[in-house]
């Protein structure tokens, strides 16, 4: 008997909805990079579905949070 090679799939999960991102599905990945005191600081990579609207919803939440923190110009 001959051994067959086995393909193991490591699926990613969508950060927004928690569902797996299957091979072939379109997705976006984001990570923040900043320089703090001469050192590079990054956030973990986050993956989002693009066809379900998870990425767009996450960006809208981020923009709303940032505009709530922004000072209002008089």
């Amino acid at each position: 008997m001959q051994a067959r090679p086995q393909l193991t799939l490591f699926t990613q999960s969508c950060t927004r909805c928690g569902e797996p991102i299957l091979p072939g599905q379109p997705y976006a990945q984001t990570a923040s990079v900043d320089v703090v005191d001469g050192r590079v600081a990054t956030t973990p990579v986050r993956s989002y579905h693009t066809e379900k609207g998870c990425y767009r919803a996450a960006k809208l939440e981020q923009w709303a949070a940032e505009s709530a923190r922004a000072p209002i110009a008089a």
Side-chain angles (χ1 to χ4, degrees):
M1 178 177 235
Q2 208 173 19
R4 286 194 253 165
Q6 216 172 10
L7 177 63
T8 306
L9 299 175
F10 295 100
T11 59
Q12 301 176 39
S13 294
C14 178
T15 304
R16 175 125 174 98
C17 69
E19 292 182 20
I21 299 172
L22 301 175
Q25 281 186 327
Y27 67 97
Q29 290 184 317
T30 63
S32 298
V33 179
D34 198 6
V35 178
V36 179
D37 296 328
R39 293 182 165 201
V40 176
T42 63
T43 61
V45 175
R46 295 180 179 154
S47 301
Y48 300 97
H49 288 109
T50 54
E51 62 184 19
K52 291 184 178 181
C54 295
Y55 177 72
R56 180 171 167 72
K59 289 307 265 183
L60 289 174
E61 284 179 5
Q62 178 187 2
W63 291 331
E66 288 174 359
S67 54
R69 288 187 300 231
I72 298 173

